[in-house]
Amino acid sequence: MDSRLQQLQILVKESSSLHIKSTLLDYSGIVEYYAEDLVISVKAGTSIAQIKKQLKINNQALSFYTDNEDISIGAAYAQGAQDLSDCVLGVKIIDGTGTYLNFGGQVMKNVAGYDVARLLVGSKGKLALIMQISFKVMPATYINQLTPPIKRKNNSVLHQQIEKKLKQVFDPRGIFN
Amino acid sequence: MTIVNQLSRAFPKGIVLTSKENTRPFECDGLSVYRQKPLAVVLPDDIVQIKQVLKICKINKIPVVTRGAGTGLSGGATPLEKSIVLGLSKLNKVKLIDVENQLAVVEPGVRNIAISEAVAQYGLYYAPDPSSQIACTIGGNVSENSGGVHCLKYGLTVHNVEAIRMLTIDGDELILSCQDDGLGLLALMNGSEGLLGVITEVTVKLTPNPAFVKMVMAGFDSVRDCANAVTNIIKAGIIPAGLEMMDSFAIKAAEGFAKVGYPLDAKALLLCELDGIQTQVQLELDNVLKILSGASTLKVSESEEERLNFWKGRKSAFSAVGTLSPDYYCMDGTIPRRHLADMLEKIHKLSKKYKLRVANVFHAGDGNLHPLILYDANVTGELERTEEFGTEILKLSVDMGGTITGEHGVGVEKLNAMCHQFNTQELEIFHKIKHVFDENSLLNPGKAVPELHRCAELGAMHVHRGELPYPELERF
Amino acid sequence: MQTIKISNMEANNIIRKCVHCGFCLATCPTYQLLGNELDSPRGRIYLIKSALENHHFSKQSIIHLDRCLTCKSCETTCPSGVEYVQLVNIGRKLVEQKRPLWQKVYRYCIRQFLTTPIFFNPIGFIFRHSQIKGKSIKPIIKIGTVLLLGGCVQPILAPNINHSIKNILAKLGYETIETPQKQCCGAIDQHLSVNHDALIQIKKNIDAWFKVKAEMIIVSASGCGLMIKDYVSMFERLDPYYQKAQHIVNKTKDIAEFLADKNLNQLNLERVNIIYHEPCTLQHGQQLGGLVSSILNSLGYQQTPVVDSHLCCGSAGTYSIFQPKLSKQLRTNKLKYLQIAKPQMIVTANIGCLIHLQKEAKIPVKHWVELLDN
Ligand SMILES: Cc1cc2nc3c(=O)[nH]c(=O)nc-3n(C[C@H](O)[C@H](O)[C@H](O)COP(=O)(O)OP(=O)(O)OC[C@H]3O[C@@H](n4cnc5c(N)ncnc54)[C@H](O)[C@@H]3O)c2cc1C
Ligand code: SF4
Ligand code: SF4
C-alpha cells in the first residue's frame, strides 16, 4: 500500500477542516500509460507539463484546454469544465471520511454505477481529495485548436440544493473548505 | 381509491392502460427473460401529464419505471412489482433545430435516428449511433449513456448532449447544461438508468457530415489476427470513425439478413471506417490497408450505398442472431483493447466448458465486447447455465481492468456483477446519490445499484484492505 | 422469446424467433401515429402470445389487432425473420370468435358487397375513377400469350389500367386473356379473416387458371399479386392443391417484373412530372421495392426520394372502410410527403392505393403503366 496515500487518509480522518491545495497533496507521477490504448493514469499532483511531455513521446496529447501548464492535473480537474470532463475515464479519491474510493477505470466506455468520475470534475476541492485520474488521450494530429470552455453559473435554487446535498454525500463532516 | 383508479380518473381515455391483457406487453424490455407486470401503464401526451403521474405516484408511494422504446438490454425498463410504467413514446417531436450552433432540441421519445433524419437537410447528423438507433429513444440513450459504432472518434451520448430538462420525483424541473459551473450534474444524469429523474427534453449536439468517408471490410482466418489488427491500427496513430469486429457466427447471421457480401468463410471480420477530409482519409486508408495486408479478404467501399450496406449488416447482427437460436444473452463487458485477443480466446474456451455457442459482434475499437450467448429458454436449465457463463465473462472483464458494462447499463441484470466491481463504500456513495434526488426511492428503485446485503449474500464482496466491511451484516 | 405451452406449433415457432428487440416499432405506421406499444408489431406479437398462452383475451385486444394494416413493413425491418403477418392471421382467427355480433354482421356485409359483382358494380360505376382512354390494339406478330388478372373492383373503378396493359403487351407481341371479375384473388376474404371462404375462391381460381394456356399470369394490382403469390402457403403439403398452387405461383408476375427486362422504346410515353408511391404489397409483400422506380428512371422520369416511403398510405385492403380515422391520417401524411416536390401526377402500382389516395389528392393518381400507353 502506498504510504503517502495512507498518510493522507489519516490526515483527512483526523482533520476537522482542510483546504485542499496541490502542495498539500505531495502525490505525483505517472502511474500507467498505455499509448496503444490511448489511456494515461496519473497521480493528481502531477504537473500538466510533465504529462504533456510524456505523451509527446508517442505523438499524443491531452484534448482539453489548459492555460497554465505548471498547475497540477488534480487542480485542473477540480476546476475543470466540459472539455476536460469529456476525457475523464476514471478517478480515485479520498472522501471526507478518509475512505479511498475508485470510480470509473481505464476504458472509454463504462456505465457501471453513476458517473462519479465526471460528477467530481469542477468540485473545486470541496467534495473530496482527488488522488488519481485516468484520461483518454488522442494522437496529436487529431486535436484541433483548443479554446477555453464556457462556464456559467446555474442559478436555479434546486440546482444549488442538489449540489449542497451532494457535498454531504462525499464530505458528511463538512471538512473540505 | 387505488392508484389505478386515481390514474384512470386523472387522464382522458387511451392514456392509462390498466387491464392485465393490455399491460402484459409492457412486462419486459429488450431483455425479455426478466418479466414483471406493472399495475398500470401510462402513456402521457405532454409534460403536464408526466408531472401529474409523478404526483399521484409520490402521494401513493408507488414506484415509477420510465420507459422509452423498451430496447434496453439490461432490464432498465422492466417494470417492478406494483409499479407504474411511464411510457414516453408519444413525446416524439423535434422541437427546434439550431443549424448555426449545431444543436437540436428534442422531446425524450424522439428516436435516435429520427434526429439525424430531421437535420440531414442541413448536412448535419447526431453522432452516437447505437445499433438500435432505428428504434431507441434519446431519453433512453441519455439514461443509458448509449454508445454506438462511431463513438471511438465521436464519443458516447454524454459527449454529445448539450443540455437536458428533467423532472425530479417531486415534479420540480431541473435544467442542466454542459456549461454549468460546478459539479458535473449533466454527466451524472447520463447513464443514471431512470433512477434520478424523468428526462423531458434533450438538447443534442449535431455533427457536420464528414466530407469524405471510406470503409474497409477485412475478413481474417483467425480471430487473434483480427484482434491484433485492431490494436495495430490504433497504435499507428489512426482513430477510425468506427472499428467493429464480428466472428463467424455473427457474420453468418448478419449476412443471412442483410445480404451485403460479408465473407462467409472468414473466422473474423473487421469493419473499419475512416472519415474526414479527403487527403487525410486517403493517407489513413493506405496505412490501414498495409496493416490489414494479412487479411484473407479485403474490400474498400466504392459507393455510399455499399458503405451503408456494410453497416446494415453490422447493425442488424444482434437481432439477426435470432435466426440462429431462439434466445440469446448479450454481454457488454469492456476491457482495455490490448487484452482483446486473450479475452476472445478465453470466451471461446468458456463456450466449450458451458456447452453453449457464442456469437461475438462488438465495438472492437472501444474494447467493448458483446458476446451473445446462444441458448434456448424453453429448455430447462439452459438459462441458468447461460447466466453463470455470463457472470464469468463479466468477472474476467473486471479482472482485466475493465468494466461489467460499457453501454447497456446494469439494470436488473448485472446487479450481482456490480458487487464484483465496486466495494461497499463505493456502492454506498451510489445509494446516497440516489437519495439526494429521490428520498423515498420511487424512481426505478432496486435497479442499477445492488443493495449491500445482496452483495454480502453473494459473498462477492470486495475485501477492502484486509478488513471486512459491515461485519454486522449476516453472511451466507 | 420464451413461450409457455403454446400448442399451435406454427405460431410458437414464429414467436420464438422474435427477440423482442423493438426495431419493428420504428417502421410501423400505426405505432408512429398512436405511440402505444399495443399498436406496434412487438406489442401485437405479445398480445397474441398471451392469448395463445391462455391468458385472458377480450375485445380490448381485438382493437389493436384490427388496427394493424398487415402492411408488412415490420417484416421488412425485422432482422430476425419474424413472419409477423402469418402470426397475426393466426391471432385474428383466434379473436374472431370474441368479436361482438354487430361487428361480425357489418364485416360480413362489406365483404359480400365488394366481392359480389351484382352488388358492387352499380355503386362502383358511380365512383368510377377513370374511363378507358384510346382504342385497343392487337399484336402484329404474336410471340406469346399471357393471362391477365382482371380483379374484382379494378375493372369497374379503373378499367383503363388493364386496357393500357393489354395495349402495351400487344405492342410487345403478347396476346392477353383476361380473367373474369368473379375470379377475385381472395384477398378481401382473407383480410377479414374469413379463411374458409377465401379458400373456396382460391381453389376455384386455381382450377380455372390451370386450364388456360398461357405462359404467365400477370397482375397489375400488387395487392392481388401478393395474395396469389401466397397461395402455396394456404395448403398443407399433401393437399393435391399444394402442387397446383405452386405451379400457379411460379407463373405469377407483377407487371413490373414482366416489363423490367423488355425493350420499352417503342411505347408512347405520357410526359408529366410524376412522383411514385410504392405500395406496401409490392415493397414489403412481394419484396420488389425499387423495381418500378428503376423502370420509370430508365424511361426518363425524374424521381426524388420520398420521405417515409416505407409507410402505408392507409388503404390496406378494407382498412380504409373499417379504420377510417387512422386510414385518413396516414393518407394525409403520405400525400404531404408525396407532394413536396410539387409533381403533376402521382403514380402507383395498386388499385387500392390509387383509389384511396385519389379521394384526397388534388392531382391525378394513376397506375404507372398508364403512363406507358399514351
Ligand atoms: C438489437 C439491439 C442493439 C443494441 N445496440 C446498442 C448499441 O450499439 N449501443 C448501445 O449503447 N445500446 C444498444 N442497445 C441497447 C438499447 O438500445 C439502448 O440502451 C437504448 O439507449 C435504450 O433506449 P430505449 O429508448 O429503448 O430505452 P428503454 O429501454 O425504454 O429504457 C432504458 C432505461 O432508460 C430509462 N429511461 C428511458 N427514457 C427515460 C427518460 N426519458 N427519463 C429517464 N429515464 C429514462 C429507463 O427507465 C431504463 O432504465 C441495443 C439494443 C438492442 C435490442
Ligand atoms: S424486429 Fe423482429 S425480432 Fe425485433 S421485436 Fe420486432 S418482430 Fe421481434
Ligand atoms: S403489418 Fe404494418 S401495421 Fe401491422 S404491425 Fe406490421 S408494420 Fe404495423
Side-chain angles (χ1 to χ4, degrees), chain B residues 433-445:
Chain B
I433 291 176
K434 162 91 174 148
H435 193 79
V436 166
F437 287 84
D438 177 16
E439 240 175 346
N440 300 313
S441 207
L442 292 177
L443 289 170
N444 220 359

Side-chain angles (χ1 to χ4, degrees), chain C residues 59 62 95-105:
Chain C
K59 57 178 193 278
I62 298 183
V95 307
E96 212 47 47
Q97 304 145 9
K98 305 237 172 167
R99 195 179 284 292
L101 184 66
W102 69 269
Q103 278 194 14
K104 282 189 188 161
V105 173

Side-chain angles (χ1 to χ4, degrees), chain C residues 24-25 27-31 39-42 44 64-65 67-75 77 84-85 88 92 280 284 311-312 319:
Chain C
C24 51
L25 270 67
T27 58
C28 171
T30 55
Y31 181 71
D39 293 308
S40 81
R42 187 172 71 172
R44 294 183 179 117
H64 303 294
L65 294 194
R67 283 188 188 147
C68 169
L69 298 138
T70 43
C71 67
K72 286 199 175 196
S73 177
C74 49
E75 288 194 14
T77 305
Y84 165 83
V85 170
V88 89
R92 282 176 169 170
C280 300
H284 306 304
L311 290 188
C312 178
Y319 194 83

Side-chain angles (χ1 to χ4, degrees), chain B residues 319, chain C residues 17-24 41-42 45 74 77-80 82:
Chain B
S319 314
Chain C
K17 260 194 178 173
C18 171
V19 295
H20 213 253
C21 68
F23 279 26
C24 51
R42 187 172 71 172
I45 291 173
C74 49
T77 305
C78 175
S80 196
V82 172

Side-chain angles (χ1 to χ4, degrees), chain B residues 58-94:
Chain B
K58 198 185 161 194
I59 293 173
N60 291 278
K61 295 212 164 53
I62 296 287
V64 184
V65 180
T66 313
R67 183 180 175 102
T71 69
L73 288 174
S74 55
T78 309
L80 298 158
E81 214 187 327
K82 302 213 169 58
S83 70
I84 300 298
V85 167
L86 177 65
L88 300 184
S89 49
K90 290 184 186 169
L91 284 89
N92 62 359
K93 272 177 261 349
V94 175

Side-chain angles (χ1 to χ4, degrees), chain B residues 310-371:
Chain B
F310 285 161
W311 277 131
K312 186 176 174 203
R314 164 63 185 86
K315 290 192 177 174
S316 52
F318 271 25
S319 314
V321 166
T323 56
L324 297 182
S325 162
D327 301 282
Y328 64 71
Y329 197 70
C330 174
M331 312 306 299
D332 179 40
T334 303
I335 53 164
R337 237 172 340 251
R338 59 185 182 278
H339 297 312
L340 261 186
D342 289 342
M343 183 67 167
L344 289 169
E345 261 168 32
K346 285 198 173 130
I347 292 176
H348 186 68
K349 278 198 194 122
L350 286 174
S351 156
K352 287 201 174 131
K353 174 176 153 194
Y354 284 96
K355 298 203 177 60
L356 289 165
R357 295 177 297 164
V358 176
N360 278 295
V361 41
F362 60 98
H363 313 298
D366 310 319
N368 185 194
L369 296 162
H370 288 322

Side-chain angles (χ1 to χ4, degrees), chain A residues 22-130:
Chain A
S22 310
T23 43
L24 167 92
L25 221 54
D26 184 22
Y27 190 70
S28 70
I30 288 161
V31 185
E32 279 175 314
Y33 173 32
Y34 297 103
E36 75 272 29
D37 271 339
L38 306 172
V39 55
I40 190 162
S41 297
V42 294
K43 292 184 180 171
T46 321
S47 78
I48 291 179
Q50 193 191 339
I51 297 170
K52 287 194 171 170
K53 203 169 113 198
Q54 182 73 38
L55 292 176
K56 210 164 179 182
I57 301 171
N58 290 299
N59 282 322
Q60 293 183 335
L62 295 170
S63 53
F64 52 87
Y65 177 82
T66 44
D67 51 0
N68 180 356
E69 302 206 341
D70 297 330
I71 63 164
S72 71
I73 191 71
Y77 175 96
Q79 295 299 331
Q82 171 81 25
D83 59 345
L84 181 142
S85 167
D86 280 349
C87 308
V88 170
L89 301 177
V91 69
K92 295 186 181 180
I93 61 169
I94 296 175
D95 74 2
T97 66
T99 314
Y100 187 52
L101 303 165
N102 179 8
F103 296 100
Q106 287 194 339
V107 289
M108 193 182 126
K109 285 167 121 174
N110 186 351
V111 290
Y114 300 118
D115 197 346
V116 174
R118 289 198 179 96
L119 171 68
L120 294 179
V121 173
S123 56
K124 305 206 173 93
K126 297 285 197 297
L127 270 68
L129 258 181
I130 308 301

